[in-house]
Amino acid sequence: MEVQEQCTTSARSFEHLNAYERGIIKALLGEKRSIRYIARQLGRHPSTISREIKRGTVKQRRSDLTEYEAYYPETGQAVY
């Protein structure tokens, strides 16, 4: 078996979101800020923020049985 010596694939340079960043996402969503605004504040790509919001959003039910969706940083971390 030959070993490839000239690899053209670059090393991945991403970092996972940490608990602090997830808390900032929660706070800024509470202020009705856009995904692009949140991404700029955290120095992340908007798609990263979008995926995190999707990952951490869960349906909740009020006492009158109406449903709503809310983002929870702990859920995003657990699902990831």
Side-chain angles (χ1 to χ4, degrees), residues 35-36 38-40 42-51:
I35 289 174
R36 289 187 179 279
I38 296 169
R40 279 193 305 272
L42 295 176
R44 300 292 188 139
H45 197 276
S47 63
T48 301
I49 304 304
S50 176
R51 284 191 302 269

Side-chain angles (χ1 to χ4, degrees), residues 24-41 49 53:
I24 291 175
I25 292 171
K26 169 83 172 167
L28 292 176
L29 283 174
E31 294 177 7
K32 307 287 189 213
R33 298 293 186 160
S34 71
I35 289 174
R36 289 187 179 279
Y37 178 85
I38 296 169
R40 279 193 305 272
Q41 294 301 308
I49 304 304
I53 292 169

Side-chain angles (χ1 to χ4, degrees), residues 18-80:
N18 58 40
Y20 178 74
E21 290 173 313
R22 286 185 170 95
I24 291 175
I25 292 171
K26 169 83 172 167
L28 292 176
L29 283 174
E31 294 177 7
K32 307 287 189 213
R33 298 293 186 160
S34 71
I35 289 174
R36 289 187 179 279
Y37 178 85
I38 296 169
R40 279 193 305 272
Q41 294 301 308
L42 295 176
R44 300 292 188 139
H45 197 276
S47 63
T48 301
I49 304 304
S50 176
R51 284 191 302 269
E52 173 60 26
I53 292 169
K54 186 181 290 188
R55 186 180 301 123
T57 299
V58 295
K59 282 188 178 181
Q60 297 287 311
R61 187 169 289 156
R62 294 184 181 96
S63 59
D64 63 357
L65 301 180
T66 59
E67 291 183 344
Y68 68 99
E69 292 185 342
Y71 171 75
Y72 292 98
E74 302 83 11
T75 304
Q77 177 65 38
V79 170
Y80 186 76

